[in-house]
Amino acid sequence: MSECIFCKIIRGELAARVVYEDERVLAFHDIQPAAPTHVLIIPKKHIARMDDVEPEDEALIGHMFAKANEVAHSLGLTENGFRYVINCGPDGLQTVYHIHLHILGGRRMSWPPG
Ligand code: 5GP
Ligand code: ZN
């Protein structure tokens, strides 16, 4: 069994505040929110880094973004806007090596990112 913490959340071995789930993706609140709304959406397939995505994963990644849009809408983020973030590798400050799209909203963001 995978020791990956997001795989553990998918299997129900670690608790999470789930906001959306289907057979291919899971969305849940970040444990350490960086904004008033901070949700992560992940594929249920374990893929460590965004640059590990293979051509066979294209439909899955598209589905993840489509469902992220629905989550952002259902959380009331679409009127004022929000931010999607994917960190990749050490310089990208990725800390959990199971790909995840951050959905951040509820405050004005800054740019450039830190
Ligand atoms: P990264 O830095 O890899 O882009 O983002 C990892 C995110 O996962 C962080 O925002 C962190 O707060 C979140 N996180 C880490 N462990 C857990 C956990 O056990 N549960 C939840 N819900 N979020 C987690
Ligand atoms: Zn995993």
Side-chain angles (χ1 to χ4, degrees), residues 2-8 10-11 42-48 96-99:
S2 168
E3 289 303 306
C4 166
I5 57 171
F6 286 176
C7 284
K8 286 185 176 172
I10 291 163
R11 294 197 300 264
I42 67 176
K44 288 190 171 177
K45 176 182 178 182
H46 180 89
I47 301 170
V96 177
Y97 280 78
H98 178 133
I99 58 172

Side-chain angles (χ1 to χ4, degrees), residues 17 29 33-39 77 103-109:
R17 290 168 56 214
H29 288 275
T37 301
H38 187 173
V39 166
L77 300 179
I103 307 169
L104 294 149
R107 67 170 170 85
R108 182 64 59 96
M109 302 295 157

Side-chain angles (χ1 to χ4, degrees), residues 22-38:
D22 65 24
E23 67 286 350
R24 287 186 283 169
V25 298
L26 180 69
F28 52 95
H29 288 275
D30 196 290
I31 204 168
Q32 217 177 339
T37 301
H38 187 173

Side-chain angles (χ1 to χ4, degrees), residues 2-77:
S2 168
E3 289 303 306
C4 166
I5 57 171
F6 286 176
C7 284
K8 286 185 176 172
I9 288 173
I10 291 163
R11 294 197 300 264
E13 296 166 18
L14 261 181
R17 290 168 56 214
V18 172
V19 296
Y20 177 79
E21 177 167 21
D22 65 24
E23 67 286 350
R24 287 186 283 169
V25 298
L26 180 69
F28 52 95
H29 288 275
D30 196 290
I31 204 168
Q32 217 177 339
T37 301
H38 187 173
V39 166
L40 305 173
I41 184 162
I42 67 176
K44 288 190 171 177
K45 176 182 178 182
H46 180 89
I47 301 170
R49 294 168 47 131
M50 205 57 201
D51 52 358
D52 289 331
V53 167
E54 306 272 6
E56 66 181 29
D57 302 318
E58 282 176 9
L60 175 61
I61 299 304
H63 180 74
M64 183 176 78
F65 273 93
K67 292 302 167 183
N69 282 349
E70 288 183 18
V71 168
H73 185 75
S74 70
L75 293 173
L77 300 179

